Amino acid sequence: MNLDTPSSPHIHSGVRINSMMLRVCLALVPAIIAYTWFFGWGLCINILLAVATALCAEALMLRIRQRPIAPFLTDGSALVTGLLLAFCIPPFAPWWITVMGAAFAIIVAKQLYGGLGYNPFNPAMVGYVMLLISFPLEMTQWVPPNIVNQLEIGFIDTLNIIFTGNFPYQLSIDALTMATPLDTIKTELGLNVTVTEIIRGNAIFGDFGGVGWEWVGNWVLLGGIWLIYKHIISWHIPVALLGSLVIISFFFFMLDPDAYPSPMFHLFSGATLLAAFFIATDPVSASTTPRGRIYYGIGIGVLIYVIRTWGGYPDGVAFAVLLMNMAAPTIDYYTQPRVYGHPKAHHTIHPSRRDDGDKP
Amino acid sequence: MQRLFQFHGGVQLKEHKRDATAQPVQAARLPRQLVLPLQQHIGTPAEAIVAVGDKVRKGQLIAKPVGVISAPVHASSSGTVVAIAKHAVSHPSHLSAPCIIIDTDGEERWTEDRQPVADYHQLPPEAIRARIRDAGIVGMGGAGFPAHVKLDPSQHAVDTLILNGAECEPYITCDEMLLREHALEVIVGLRIMRYALQARRCIIGIENNKKAAFLALREQVRNTGADFIDVVQVPTVYPTGGEKQLIQVLTGMEVPSGGLPLDIGVVCHNVGTAYAVYRAIEFGEPLISRYVTVAGSVAKARNLDVLIGTPVIDLIEECGGNRNTLSRVILGGPMMGVALHDVTVPVTKTTNCILAFAKTGDVPLASKGSQPMPCIRCGNCAEACPVDLLPQQLYWYARAKDFDKIQDYHLFDCIECGCCDYVCPSQIPLVHYFRYAKTEIWAQQHEKALANIARERHQFREQRLEREKLEKQQRHQQKRAALDAQKGDAGSSADAAKKAAIQAAMERAKNKREANTIQPRNIDNLTPDQQRKIDEANARRKALEARADVGAAQDSEQ
Ligand code: SF4
Ligand code: SF4
């Protein structure tokens, strides 16, 4: 008789990486639908492009690094990276932008650091920042929601724009694109216009964020809450991030409502909600102790506000996340929980988390 | 109303407890052969006092305890001792251990020297403890610590005696059945234990998924008017049944790391132990049988009253299992149980559950994926850890073989409950890594001790050579002095100085050795086999040190 003698425990919850990642994707579906509804087919095409590129790049790199391909390709992490990156690329950006971004994210930001679990930075954000710095023109050509410019660009037309750069109805990219709400606020505040005037004078502003943007935001929020409910992500990072952003923006808003937009506006514009629930919560690059996650979230929230308000870029999400990625090991080190039966947590350890061990 | 507290983390598990609680407990069939390991407890193994060929009676003492932390072994049925030899036992290392093997004669003839106690209040607590010791009672919840030691308050004032009825692992229901069927006896046992400990109050903690057992207990407490006993329902979360976790839930206090519950005035015993204490005092019966749950892919999952020493396979077959289709047999629960390599392993005093799984079992184990993925630092493990450790960091350092850092992250506080493993989406065998790291650290400490001894021997040799040189010089000087001052008589004081110098040198070396002995950090709550390993290592080291001392002494005498 041959008996198995594995060591305990002999049972498992059944939750695997791929089921977690798939749920993350699932949680984004309502937001994707809303986005397509308001801004056309661009996002869907970008998602397909980014995900396909991410998977190919992953397979290629696994092969070069002589790692088993199947388990890593099906873990769903490349899928999530592609999806999140696509969300950050303007809908009519030429195809090579998306492909380049996704390939860079996977090859450089993930696989060159050792693949799944070893990347210190969020790959999607690295890809995005690389694109933003290298191709500022293409990366800032955002389209206004359909309701605002009254143009319905169909699926074929969108494909055409993305792959050939040919615009329908003799339009040009300039006619199609427009500053985002965050952009508008930033530029016009520079011209000494008050927030109220800016918002009243621009059709792109909706009830609490930008038209369309706010609805996408709502669905992202719902998806995120579902993820927390399903224990795929913990509440710490989203709550800390949104909380700190609200508090700090409320403070300045009360100080001078003419110079600083309201907390609602900050929550529902740009990538705030996406960052709170889907980007900053990327487990690999985030802080991992419960208390650490709170500090990590607060850090991102504050940085988002600082970069948006005083920095050179309209939205600071990507930079905020990457900056806090750098701080994560240190945060983890100083936020170890107090172990049962010990008087207090103590830190006799060097904050070196990724500088030793068995990098492949 | 008792206030409840919460421990960090824990997991909710599927219970699988229905099947085995459907029918009352039955006595298991008398096996043809009983295998009684000399060590069924933490501490020193007992010493056999019978010989091959001896006829023994049921309940007869067949092995006597050695030292304080030890427990005797009794024959669980009448028959003939056929061997005292090594036999397969439940141990992760698959090692065999010395056992007394008895062929049963089927007559179940009891020994004559049973001495019931009519009124235990007539005896002093020490006498009660002595009886409990003589009955061979050890902690029956799994750890197997000799009960009389844990019933000795020594210098402490014991405030609370907790009876652990929180059977939190899936499948296991033997304590629940015991409480349902023998609530009164358990409470009498508890009162005897309280008397032995001189404890102020008692709490029986029972998980809230065992309604019938809870009601039975509460009823009996009310009937007996024991108002110092609280029967408390605790939430059903794994691992509530862990001693430290239960203490935390019931009292809000934490056992200090490296300390004992006694340090905070608490003592915790299993309900099965209380029942055994009752039988020992009321009937003078030693611990020779216990309730065991047999479950998994057997036709009739149930609880049996099993004679200690019964081979596991007998029980599996009695419950409709098939030895030819078994793929995994676990002694204990699915979270902390040990997978057996051999089905002839006997039931011991600490065996609470036998889980048999067939290859084509109808109750499949949620098996793990074939290949663990890298850690994605999701923190699920840290959230689930009842001790508030950071398993992902422990894992990192275990893989990196960084044994200093892994101790800084409190590896030795890990109770090996398996919660982290259970929730890890990468399916990393975390507990396996932690056990490996603990073993490595013990081995290293052992090696360090050896190296220290070798170094000391070397130092002694150096000192001896140095001293001999010195003595030679002194002899020369003395001679010269004697020659110089033949009229005066100066001399003996130099000899005394020399002796003092030697003494001082030896003293220094001894101090150094003591300072160099490494203290392993926070090694509490060890599993029996770990404890055994430590003890063995310590014994070996002692022996080596002794030898080194003798060697050094010889060296210096030459
Ligand atoms: S649960 Fe597993 S994957 Fe997640 S942090 Fe812990 S060890 Fe890593
Ligand atoms: S096995 Fe150890 S590290 Fe894992 S959850 Fe239990 S106590 Fe924590």
Side-chain angles (χ1 to χ4, degrees), chain A residues 195-278:
Chain A
V195 171
T196 336
E197 285 167 342
I198 303 170
I199 291 179
R200 213 179 301 127
N202 263 296
I204 53 165
F205 291 100
D207 298 325
F208 32 86
V211 173
W213 299 102
E214 55 196 16
W215 274 102
V216 175
N218 281 341
W219 289 109
V220 169
L221 179 67
L222 273 184
I225 291 173
W226 180 74
L227 284 183
I228 294 178
Y229 171 73
K230 284 280 169 193
H231 292 291
I232 304 297
I233 58 176
S234 74
W235 58 267
H236 302 80
I237 293 177
V239 168
L241 192 160
L242 299 176
S244 67
L245 185 59
V246 165
I247 290 172
I248 186 169
S249 56
F250 184 74
F251 174 76
F252 282 100
F253 178 66
M254 289 317 274
L255 221 59
D256 185 356
D258 279 341
Y260 300 99
S262 74
M264 283 303 259
F265 178 80
H266 274 286
L267 285 191
F268 285 91
S269 342
T272 310
L273 289 165
L274 194 70
F277 291 98
F278 292 88

Side-chain angles (χ1 to χ4, degrees), chain B residues 199-220:
Chain B
R200 188 175 67 84
R201 60 161 183 166
C202 303
I203 309 176
I204 307 179
I206 181 162
E207 277 187 311
N208 58 14
N209 59 356
K210 305 169 182 46
K211 261 272 149 30
F214 168 72
L215 292 176
L217 272 178
R218 209 180 48 182
E219 164 120 15
Q220 295 302 347

